[in-house]
Amino acid sequence: MQRGIRLSLRVGPEALSGIVDAVMPDKFCFWIWVDGGMGRRMIDSRDPSLVRAQTR
């Protein structure tokens, strides 16, 4: 996981996609800028049930 990667993920019933903005040093959470102007959101790395990263 690194800054700038585009992700699609599922957190509970929510499907989100966006760009990774920051990864905490302990790797337990990360921040994404959610697509569609929905702001910045912190994701606990243990919460998503599915994560898909887009490769370039």
Side-chain angles (χ1 to χ4, degrees):
M1 178 80 61
Q2 64 185 11
R3 189 171 189 241
I5 291 177
R6 173 165 288 286
L7 294 178
S8 296
L9 53 115
R10 181 165 294 282
V11 180
E14 267 186 301
L16 302 170
S17 63
I19 304 289
V20 175
D21 182 47
V23 179
M24 298 301 103
D26 62 8
K27 309 284 191 231
F28 280 110
C29 66
F30 57 96
W31 289 85
I32 66 169
W33 282 108
V34 181
D35 291 342
M38 300 302 293
R40 189 172 180 246
R41 179 155 172 190
M42 186 185 79
I43 307 293
D44 184 308
S45 63
R46 297 164 288 189
D47 287 345
S49 58
L50 172 67
V51 175
R52 198 172 47 209
Q54 287 184 351
T55 57
R56 295 178 188 199

